[in-house]
Amino acid sequence: MAQKILIIEDEEGIIHLLNLYLKDAGYLTIVARDGADGLALHAREHPDLVVLDIMLPAIDGFEVCRRIRAWSQTPILMLTARSAEDDRINGLELGADDYLLKPFSPRELVSRVRAILRRIPSSQEATPASKATKEDEKSVLRFPGLSVDLLARRVEVQGHEVALTPTEFDLLALMAQSPDRVFTREILMNKVWGYDYLGDGHTIDVHISALRKKIEAGEQQRYIKTVWRVGYRFEIKGAR
């Protein structure tokens, strides 16, 4: 079954372009022309991914992203005509997985969509406990105060589940599977976004910052260490 993409955009020319290229790539598309309709369609249709413009009537894209993240981890690709770095950072901090600056190449957008959806299982539902196997158990990474279930895409901190965006989970899972290995920003971008990703390294920093806020509690609970001018590593000895 084709994956469903919700386009929340008010410019007819861009809507036509996105519909044309995304449908040609094999995706189903549904369209909302303002933030309020976008939220309603998201709740009703449960899309696999949202392409979200920032400049929308009534409710802007930042608020739409914030509200979607309040109840769902649907991947979000933001579109923005704003070149200011603060706007891009704001979108990523609210939970967007990636962004594209207008004007953009439709082929690049399709490439970004594919890269995001490749990382998301076709079914994100956790395996019922009654069907859990020894192999499933091996997929759970356990550290002091933190567990990462790779199959269920579930993270618990001090026994309480925390909601991560798909990108945050993938960054954590990648690093947690290789403790103490230093990951450069380039490696993280290639492994998580895909080798065709054309973003900048600062995107990694914003996602790591958001991830830390969710899994680290003060100075007594640190897992991700910054390696100055290089990248990051997952540090077990830092988890207390």
Side-chain angles (χ1 to χ4, degrees):
M1 184 177 178
Q3 291 170 298
K4 186 187 303 180
I5 297 177
L6 169 60
I7 300 168
I8 309 179
E9 169 64 67
D10 64 329
E11 294 185 38
E12 290 298 330
I14 293 179
I15 291 172
H16 173 74
L17 207 59
L18 293 178
N19 267 323
L20 181 66
Y21 276 81
L22 289 171
K23 286 180 179 178
D24 188 58
Y27 299 108
L28 295 175
T29 62
I30 50 177
V31 177
R33 289 170 172 77
D34 62 53
D37 284 348
L39 289 169
L41 265 180
H42 182 276
R44 184 169 71 247
E45 297 290 338
H46 305 291
D48 295 289
L49 181 141
V50 177
V51 176
L52 173 64
D53 185 28
I54 288 180
M55 301 296 289
L56 293 169
I59 303 175
D60 69 20
F62 292 132
E63 179 63 16
V64 171
C65 182
R66 187 188 68 78
R67 295 191 190 184
I68 288 177
R69 279 291 169 262
W71 73 70
S72 170
Q73 297 307 311
T74 307
I76 296 173
L77 172 59
M78 273 193 159
L79 304 179
T80 175
R82 301 174 175 180
S83 59
E85 186 177 55
D86 287 348
D87 289 325
R88 302 198 298 273
I89 291 174
N90 190 22
L92 293 172
E93 288 182 337
L94 286 170
D97 294 271
D98 201 354
Y99 65 84
L100 270 177
L101 295 177
K102 295 179 179 179
F104 57 84
S105 160
R107 290 181 179 177
E108 182 183 353
L109 180 136
V110 172
S111 177
R112 298 281 187 99
V113 166
R114 282 176 173 157
I116 294 172
L117 290 176
R118 273 199 303 266
R119 309 189 327 250
I120 312 302
S122 58
S123 173
Q124 297 189 32
E125 296 181 0
T127 304
S130 60
K131 295 183 179 180
T133 65
K134 290 183 179 180
E135 191 65 30
D136 294 335
E137 186 64 25
K138 291 180 182 178
S139 75
V140 181
L141 308 177
R142 302 186 189 280
F143 310 100
L146 175 72
S147 69
V148 182
D149 189 325
L150 301 176
L151 292 182
R153 297 180 67 85
R154 176 188 174 97
V155 174
E156 291 187 357
V157 176
Q158 301 297 343
H160 300 284
E161 184 174 3
V162 295
L164 302 184
T165 67
T167 298
E168 291 165 359
F169 180 88
D170 290 334
L171 284 168
L172 175 61
L174 176 63
M175 291 188 291
Q177 289 179 84
S178 300
D180 294 324
R181 173 185 171 182
V182 176
F183 288 88
T184 65
R185 290 172 177 81
E186 181 180 11
I187 289 174
L188 290 172
M189 291 170 68
N190 288 342
K191 293 290 188 181
V192 174
W193 276 263
Y195 288 96
D196 52 0
Y197 182 69
L198 302 175
D200 58 82
H202 194 58
T203 300
I204 296 290
D205 300 334
V206 175
H207 283 291
I208 291 290
S209 176
L211 176 60
R212 280 171 163 161
K213 290 177 183 177
K214 294 181 179 181
I215 69 170
E216 297 182 350
E219 294 296 328
Q220 300 303 311
Q221 193 174 353
R222 298 294 190 189
Y223 301 103
I224 300 174
K225 181 177 178 61
T226 300
V227 181
W228 182 246
R229 293 186 178 180
V230 179
Y232 300 94
R233 73 166 177 256
F234 187 87
E235 196 173 63
I236 298 177
K237 65 182 180 181
R240 298 188 291 271

